[in-house]
């Protein structure tokens, strides 16, 4: 069975593996331990023949506030075998469909993981944000390649370089989500889609997903490797130190001394 975690719920039922981010007091911010639990869930779901679809969701009306910065600072070096790197690999390589239900905040990895989901549904109150540059970091999860491919360079640059929040409607207009619904309808819509997928011929479903992604799979892998190197180096940089110190001190960061 998948690795247990008090902050990650994993349920296998009727051909669907539902992974629930369940740390509501911290807006489902991801710790390294939570990454490990999600990795275990993905590994089991991909291996089990009775699982045909994965469904990602957050608890209590929140998807995820992204990485828990304090936990990541305490974790030290995150090598290529870390739970973080393993989850990114699972997202990119998963041969089974992934469906996402997004409510409330979706920050950092909470946005970039959607690039690897096959279907994504968002509530009207969903708020998306990729503040990587603001934190002295770079984008991850292959997003430096996938975002320009999905929405064009200028739109991708606006979201990444300015690092400003954007609405569910913008996410839909830019192709990040399939549909925007009333908040209370999001999970039901995502479950209905997942249930519909379980009724499809499984080999044909996997082959179709593989073919849809075959034209750029190698480029995603290469982008993820380059990003991971730059991201982990960024975590140790003076710019990231200033950004994160300012975050915890609840002040504006000062990058004027950096070149």
């Amino acid at each position: 069975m998948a690795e247990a975690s008090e902050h990650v719920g994993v349920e296998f039922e009727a051909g669907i593996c539902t992974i629930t981010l369940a740390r509501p007091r911290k807006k489902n911010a991801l710790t390294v331990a939570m990454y490990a639990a999600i990795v275990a869930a993905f590994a089991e779901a991909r291996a089990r023949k009775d699982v045909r679809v994965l469904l990602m969701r957050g608890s209590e009306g929140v998807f995820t506030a992204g990485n828990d910065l304090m936990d990541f600072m305490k974790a030290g070096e995150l090598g290529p075998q870390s739970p973080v790197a393993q989850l990114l690999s699972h997202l990119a390589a998963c041969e089974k469909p992934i469906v996402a239900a997004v409510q409330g905040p979706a920050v950092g990895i909470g946005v970039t993981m959607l690039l690897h989901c096959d279907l994504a549904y968002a509530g009207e109150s969903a708020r998306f944000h990729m503040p990587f540059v603001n934190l002295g970091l770079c984008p991850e999860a292959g997003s430096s390649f996938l975002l320009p491919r999905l929405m064009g360079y200028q739109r991708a640059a606006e979201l990444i370089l300015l690092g400003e929040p954007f609405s569910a409607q913008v996410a839909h207009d830019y192709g990040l989500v399939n549909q925007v619904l009333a908040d209370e309808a999001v999970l039901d819509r995502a479950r209905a889609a997942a249930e519909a997928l379980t009724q499809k011929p499984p080999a044909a479903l996997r082959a179709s997903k593989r073919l849809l992604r075959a034209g750029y799979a190698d480029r995603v892998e290469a982008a993820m490797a380059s990003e991971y190197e730059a991201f982990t180096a960024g975590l140790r940089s003076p710019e990231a130190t200033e950004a994160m110190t300012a975050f915890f001190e609840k002040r504006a960061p000062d990058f004027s001394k950096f070149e």
Side-chain angles (χ1 to χ4, degrees), residues 22 27 50 58-59 63 70-71 74 96 102-103 119 126 129 148 151 172 178 183 200 217 228 231 239 248:
K27 296 184 178 180
D50 63 321
S59 64
F63 194 53
M70 184 67 76
D71 184 77
K74 291 178 180 177
K96 298 177 181 180
V102 183
Q103 296 170 293
L119 299 171
H129 193 193
M151 61 186 64
H172 177 266
N178 294 83
D183 291 328
K200 304 295 182 184
Y228 200 78
F231 190 94
E239 291 183 350
F248 290 116

Side-chain angles (χ1 to χ4, degrees), residues 11-28:
E11 180 182 10
F12 296 92
E13 184 179 2
I16 301 170
C17 171
T18 301
I19 301 171
T20 303
L21 308 178
R23 196 185 177 209
R25 286 191 298 174
K26 294 292 186 179
K27 296 184 178 180
N28 298 334

Side-chain angles (χ1 to χ4, degrees), residues 43 46 76 100 106 110 116 123 175 206 209 220 229 236 253:
R46 293 179 66 187
H116 301 281
R206 293 192 301 271
K209 174 171 178 171
V220 171
E229 181 178 351
R236 302 187 299 271

